[in-house]
Amino acid sequence: MKLIQRMSLTSRIGLLFFLVAVLIFSGVGTYLYRSLAGQLEYRDDQELIGKISLMRHLAEESDSIAAIRKDPHYFLDAAASHDRLIIMLKDMNGNIILHTNSDQGSLPGISVLPLEMHPVRRSITLLWTSSGLTARAIAAQGKVRSGEKIVIVVARTASDRMELLKAYRVEIGMAALCGTLLAALLGYLVVRRGLRPVKLIAGQASSITAHRLDTRLDLSSAPQELHELVQAFNAMLDRLDGSFQRLSQFSADLAHDLRTPLNNLMVQTQVALVQARSVEDYQGLLISNVEEYERLTRMVESMLFLARVEHTHVMLNKSALSLPEELQRIADYFEGLADEAGVTLSVAAGGKVYADAILLRRALGNLVANAIPYTPRGATIVLKGAKTAEGVTVSVINPGQGIAAEHIPHLFNRFYRGDAARSNSATSTGLGLAIVQSIMALHGGRATVTSEENGLTEFALIFPAH
């Protein structure tokens, strides 16, 4: 088994060709051998039936048993051309009148056909002579002119037929062996040529590296049977290329976002160390440093959360949650921040949603915290929840300048900021909307956004029906 596993695909298929050829040639050879043996046996049986009928006729032409003993040349002439043919004539007392080819041995007693019964194939008996030869024999009564009855036995030994079959068996064996080897060799060559496109595909695949993920396998050069495999491989390369591009962008964005607070910490500390400062100056430096540390902490926690979500290490604890209660809880939590920004939070919800309470609150909290800075003073942010045809939709709607259309497809990407000024915000990590999207993916739902210029912007969380 291990040897077969180490064999190439071409060798395996060639071996299968060999085994199939062995079975086919063996089956065909066996069939031909049995067919020839059956035909020879049938011809022998017909000859025996013809001979027993001829012997009956010759007996009827003989005057008496004594005449047969005196001049048996008619019977001898009938058997002269057959060295394997045994003819035995006996009277009704069992005395032998004539016995040709006695060197092949005597015959045992067999059933005798009555005088009025014609010989048929089922009357023939397989027996062994006293010398150990197999023979097929038939016995029947005959009658001479004098009215005396005799027993006629005609037998044919199988030696000549067996010799013919033996020679034929050797020829069939040699033909089957040569045919099997030829079929295996041709099968190996055909398979090797047929698998040439696979080698070409393998060569194309081996040329793909981390720096050439945009290369795709040539579908036109692949046989029809491999189109599905090539398409699946190309689709995998598309996913890998996309993931690699996102990873590269993520690494660049991460380095950029980490550099800003780290530079702030380093520069502020270096400036403070240039000369002695008052206690108040040091306290102000520490407060500023704490803000940067908090920003770094939020960024690291968000990244860890996203990593756990991608590797399905976040366990959901779903339950039926009241939408009015959950949305009001969020509104109460952000009431102070909304008052400082001069905006109002309004809840318009009904029904229930089947979700993880902690993750739902985190997603809604990110959306509300994202909406407050972009809502004009005096305006209202609406937290809306209702049952829809798709399931349950929870929305955060706020008026404002709106989001440009070119930014909308990228809003849920990590570290993406549509507002360049916002990149310097000490409270932003650029991961809030990415976390919202990951939370919805855990729930089997999705997050969407629609925005009108100088109109309403709506972030919607669509949960599947329970």
Side-chain angles (χ1 to χ4, degrees), residues 403-411 413 416-418 451 453:
I403 305 172
E406 64 268 19
H407 297 309
I408 289 180
H410 310 288
L411 287 179
N413 294 344
Y416 184 81
R417 295 185 178 94
S451 182
E453 185 177 358

Side-chain angles (χ1 to χ4, degrees), residues 49 64 81 140 173 182 202 206 222 256 265 272 288 296 312 344 362 366 374 399 414 419 445:
I49 293 173
S64 63
S81 60
L182 182 60
S206 63
H256 179 272
L265 289 170
S288 177
L296 287 172
T312 64
T344 305
R362 183 167 187 175
N366 287 351
Y374 295 96
R414 299 175 185 181
D419 185 357

Side-chain angles (χ1 to χ4, degrees), residues 28-218:
V28 172
T30 301
Y31 168 77
L32 293 176
Y33 176 80
R34 290 185 177 275
S35 177
L36 178 61
Q39 291 181 16
L40 291 177
E41 183 177 284
Y42 176 80
R43 291 176 61 183
D44 287 348
D45 290 346
Q46 293 301 317
E47 185 177 3
L48 287 177
I49 293 173
K51 289 297 181 182
I52 197 73
S53 299
L54 176 61
M55 293 302 116
R56 275 184 167 180
H57 176 71
L58 293 177
E60 291 175 356
E61 295 295 326
S62 301
D63 293 331
S64 63
I65 294 177
I68 296 174
R69 290 180 187 275
K70 182 178 180 181
D71 186 13
H73 70 275
Y74 293 108
F75 296 93
L76 295 176
D77 291 343
S81 60
H82 302 282
D83 57 344
R84 304 294 183 180
L85 190 66
I86 300 175
I87 297 178
M88 181 181 294
L89 304 180
K90 295 187 294 185
D91 58 22
M92 299 306 295
N93 295 322
N95 299 317
I96 296 176
I97 303 173
L98 176 65
H99 187 184
T100 64
N101 293 326
S102 58
D103 58 319
Q104 298 188 47
S106 59
L107 302 176
I110 58 175
S111 59
V112 180
L113 292 177
L115 188 63
E116 66 277 3
M117 184 175 292
H118 295 286
V120 291
R121 285 198 69 191
R122 63 173 177 270
S123 304
I124 298 174
T125 303
L126 178 65
L127 50 80
W128 284 264
T129 66
S130 59
S131 59
L133 299 177
T134 59
R136 295 181 65 80
I138 184 172
Q141 289 183 351
K143 187 177 181 181
V144 297
R145 288 180 180 177
S146 62
E148 297 173 291
K149 291 182 179 181
I150 61 174
V151 175
I152 305 171
V153 180
V154 179
R156 183 182 179 88
T157 58
S159 299
D160 56 343
R161 180 163 54 89
M162 292 304 297
E163 290 176 0
L164 177 62
L165 288 176
K166 183 177 179 181
Y168 187 66
R169 183 167 61 242
V170 172
E171 292 182 3
I172 287 181
M174 292 299 297
L177 178 60
C178 295
T180 299
L181 295 177
L182 182 60
L185 177 60
L186 293 178
Y188 179 84
L189 297 177
V190 168
V191 171
R192 185 175 181 179
R193 181 176 181 84
L195 292 179
R196 186 176 298 174
V198 178
K199 291 186 177 181
L200 295 177
I201 293 174
Q204 295 175 12
S206 63
S207 66
I208 299 174
T209 63
H211 303 289
R212 298 184 59 188
L213 286 177
D214 58 336
T215 304
R216 297 295 178 267
L217 300 183
D218 185 11

Side-chain angles (χ1 to χ4, degrees), residues 5 15 27 95 158 272-273 290 308-309 457:
Q5 292 176 351
L15 178 60
N95 299 317
L273 292 175
V290 167
R308 289 196 300 270
V309 169
T457 297

